[in-house]
Amino acid sequence: MIYRLKLTDDYPDSYWFQFKKEEISIVDLMQCQEIHSKNPLIFTLNKKISEKRLLSYNIFSSDGPDFISPRLATLLENNEEFVKEVQLLDATVIINGQSHYGFKVFNPLHFLSCIDMDKSESRPLLSYLPDGPKSFTKMVFRQDITKDFWMARCEENTSCIVISDKLKQFCIENNIKDIVFE
């Protein structure tokens, strides 16, 4: 079984970070190619928030890519199988002017055809490209996926990252509670 990578529904709107688009863009991350950069990706948040509560999460949202906590990053970096499939890019998080290090951004290195297009509902993202990228109102995953993987980018919708049962189990075993397995 496969699942869409999604944050818990109780993730506060006030914890949405701004992604500083410099050397690497969100489009670069959708190519499933290794990225070589000397500089970390930068995420900022300038709001009055409980920094302690915010930093208790393991996965964070932004107006660019999602990113993960140093704790989850360390767990995944120590998993040799996982790091063969997913590049973890360094990220610096700046909260009210204070920098925090050790965060990472997922960069899955392969695509997986996983959406059942007959059961899903979509429309062309651009009306003049009817066979181009789709906007999904209902996404149903295929049940016949046999590929052994940890994490991949969905071939039919490149903004969607999917995870496997073994990554779900890894998260459960390591008490990662703020990822929803949908």
Side-chain angles (χ1 to χ4, degrees):
M1 183 146 213
I2 63 171
Y3 309 90
R4 181 178 188 161
L5 178 65
K6 185 180 174 205
L7 278 75
T8 181
D9 290 334
D10 69 349
Y11 186 84
D13 289 341
S14 59
Y15 291 1
W16 278 72
F17 286 79
Q18 291 180 325
F19 175 52
K20 190 173 182 184
K21 301 156 191 79
E22 288 185 343
E23 198 175 313
I24 299 170
S25 73
I26 188 74
V27 174
D28 295 328
L29 292 167
M30 292 182 181
Q31 305 303 310
C32 289
Q33 296 177 358
E34 196 165 332
I35 293 175
H36 302 283
S37 174
K38 295 176 188 165
N39 301 317
L41 288 96
I42 306 291
F43 297 89
T44 59
L45 182 66
N46 292 309
K47 293 183 180 173
K48 289 192 181 236
I49 49 120
S50 166
E51 197 169 310
K52 182 179 179 179
R53 181 167 181 252
L54 168 73
L55 295 175
S56 71
Y57 283 88
N58 289 293
I59 187 165
F60 305 88
S61 275
S62 80
D63 59 0
D66 292 341
F67 57 98
I68 60 173
S69 69
R71 176 180 173 261
L72 181 52
T74 300
L75 288 169
L76 292 171
E77 285 174 325
N78 289 327
N79 183 314
E80 291 179 24
E81 290 180 37
F82 181 84
V83 294
K84 288 179 184 175
E85 294 181 27
V86 181
Q87 180 184 19
L88 293 171
L89 299 168
D90 291 332
T92 299
V93 173
I94 303 169
I95 304 169
N96 294 321
Q98 183 176 353
S99 295
H100 299 267
Y101 305 96
F103 294 83
K104 302 285 182 178
V105 172
F106 293 126
N107 182 29
L109 298 176
H110 66 273
F111 290 104
L112 180 67
S113 178
C114 55
I115 296 179
D116 185 327
M117 296 303 285
D118 294 329
K119 294 179 182 174
S120 297
E121 295 173 11
S122 67
R123 61 179 173 74
L125 196 56
L126 304 169
S127 60
Y128 59 88
L129 288 174
D131 294 326
K134 306 280 186 214
S135 173
F136 287 86
T137 53
K138 178 182 174 189
M139 194 181 307
V140 177
F141 292 119
R142 292 182 14 228
Q143 297 299 310
D144 62 346
I145 306 284
T146 57
K147 181 173 177 142
D148 183 34
F149 76 104
W150 284 82
M151 176 183 281
R153 195 164 288 280
C154 184
E155 191 173 285
E156 298 85 356
N157 179 3
T158 58
S159 64
C160 176
I161 294 177
V162 293
I163 62 177
S164 67
D165 270 328
K166 62 183 175 180
L167 183 52
K168 175 186 175 182
Q169 190 59 39
F170 178 88
C171 290
I172 291 168
E173 288 169 4
N174 287 285
N175 204 27
I176 307 299
K177 294 183 179 190
D178 43 352
I179 297 175
V180 176
F181 304 102
E182 179 179 273

